[in-house]
Amino acid sequence: MTGSADPREPSLSVVVVVYDMARELPRTLRSLSPPYQQGIGADDYEVIVVDNGSPQPVDEDVLRAFPGHLRTIRLDPAPPSPTVAANQGLGRAEGELIALMIDGARIASPRLLSTARLASRLAANPVITTAAFHLGSVTHMRAAEVGYDQTVEDDLLARSGWENDGDALFSVSALSGSSGRGFFGPMGESNGLFMRRETWGALGGLDERFVLPGGGLANHDLYRRACALDDATLIVMLGEGTFHQYHGGAATSRRFTWDEMHAEYQSIRGYPHAAPRNVPLYLGSVPGPMLEHVARSARLAIDRVAREQGVDPG
């Protein structure tokens, strides 16, 4: 393990699980670094990178370049599912507010951490999330249909200017499948889940019975269980997001179908998965580049409510 010797305990810990992400991790860490993250000081949070047995360990030069507090854990050998790695990171976290990014190929929006910290003060037991986006014009499950690959994505990111203006990524991304109902619809999972330490403890982290490579629906299961807590208040950070980089993950590359992942979920839980229906509290400001996503989210919500009420939305 590597890490800072600073004795001050951070108020926030961010656990990032990676596997074979030499291309993607530097961008993820850039987006989580001070001063890219606005409204929060470098001493207020730590990042814990958990390497889930990558064929080549995470580049030490990449880790040393991080300007804030960073610790690393490597599992080797490691199971194909990231659940054990995620739980290892959660167990080492020192913050009272702890975030999990189970897929380390995600670029964070620039106010993600400060807004989550503010959200944590709004309820007795907050479950804090935001929408997930895929870089490019379509979800990454459809990347092959439109000729989208890592080369195209590298060029898109280079032209976007995201390192100087993180909000620019809203203009070059699409809502992910799990966030496909928009900000105002039920989300299937969270790819940036923030909860207090005691809530993580009550949930027991991720269920390690999810053993499919990539974790199957382990992350969906975690989010659903969190939202089902009797005293949970779901808080959606409006104006923030995480942006998935194309890297051939188990779900986005179609190595496993929804039916295969859902079958594992049902074998563990004994019932089908459904997105939580909690009515969220919304927090945040909306930058100009994401207004179209908010507008589309509103249209989707209006159509959904009309269908549920048996009304013609037109």
Side-chain angles (χ1 to χ4, degrees):
M1 178 186 295
T2 65
S4 166
D6 191 326
R8 175 178 173 178
E9 289 189 359
S11 62
L12 168 63
S13 298
V14 184
V15 177
V16 180
V17 182
V18 300
Y19 175 78
D20 200 17
M21 293 180 182
R23 167 183 171 271
E24 297 80 19
L25 181 60
R27 294 178 183 137
T28 298
L29 290 180
R30 171 75 177 93
S31 75
L32 291 172
S33 68
Y36 185 94
Q37 282 298 316
Q38 301 169 12
I40 189 169
D43 289 336
D44 292 326
Y45 69 98
E46 65 172 350
V47 175
I48 303 171
V49 173
V50 188
D51 180 0
N52 193 41
S54 298
Q56 294 295 323
V58 175
D59 188 340
E60 288 290 334
D61 288 340
V62 171
L63 301 174
R64 281 192 292 268
F66 188 78
H69 298 287
L70 178 71
R71 293 188 285 143
T72 61
I73 304 167
R74 175 171 167 82
L75 276 63
D76 188 17
S81 170
T83 56
V84 174
N87 287 341
Q88 288 270 339
L90 294 168
R92 305 284 184 88
E94 295 179 350
E96 285 305 310
L97 182 65
I98 303 173
L100 174 64
M101 297 175 70
I102 196 171
D103 181 351
R106 292 184 179 271
I107 299 173
S109 61
R111 297 162 305 277
L112 185 74
L113 302 188
S114 60
T115 305
R117 196 164 62 155
L118 178 60
S120 71
R121 303 168 189 155
L122 301 182
N125 187 16
V127 175
I128 306 162
T129 188
T130 190
F133 296 82
H134 285 186
L135 292 168
S137 61
V138 300
T139 64
H140 289 168
M141 287 78 77
R142 295 181 52 208
E145 298 174 20
V146 297
Y148 189 85
D149 57 19
Q150 291 182 337
T151 300
V152 173
E153 184 170 273
D154 290 344
D155 181 61
L156 178 146
L157 285 169
R159 289 185 286 106
S160 73
W162 73 273
E163 292 191 72
N164 296 315
D165 179 11
D167 290 332
L169 294 182
F170 289 113
S171 300
V172 294
S173 61
L175 284 163
S176 72
S178 62
S179 294
R181 301 177 187 91
F183 275 94
F184 309 119
M187 298 178 190
E189 64 172 326
S190 173
N191 286 286
L193 183 62
F194 296 74
M195 296 187 290
R196 291 184 182 147
R197 172 187 296 277
E198 57 266 31
T199 307
W200 285 107
L203 292 170
L206 286 109
D207 191 328
E208 295 180 8
R209 291 178 293 174
F210 287 89
V211 297
L212 283 176
L217 297 188
N219 202 40
H220 293 68
D221 173 71
L222 170 69
Y223 181 59
R224 179 170 174 168
R225 288 189 290 120
C227 289
L229 293 171
D230 289 340
D231 60 345
T233 298
L234 178 62
I235 302 176
V236 173
M237 294 182 283
L238 193 62
E240 302 306 319
T242 62
F243 302 90
H244 184 261
Q245 302 172 70
Y246 186 73
H247 66 100
T252 52
S253 66
R254 303 287 196 182
R255 281 194 285 138
F256 293 96
T257 66
W258 172 266
D259 287 345
E260 290 172 306
M261 295 186 292
H262 193 242
E264 182 186 53
Y265 179 92
Q266 286 189 291
S267 71
I268 293 169
R269 291 287 167 233
Y271 49 76
H273 176 268
R277 303 289 292 195
N278 303 53
V279 177
L281 173 67
Y282 292 94
L283 174 69
S285 58
V286 179
M290 76 166 303
L291 284 171
E292 181 55 40
H293 290 296
V294 174
R296 181 172 181 270
S297 296
R299 291 192 296 269
L300 289 170
I302 291 167
D303 290 348
R304 185 182 68 255
V305 170
R307 288 194 302 271
E308 291 172 353
Q309 296 178 346
V311 177
D312 182 356

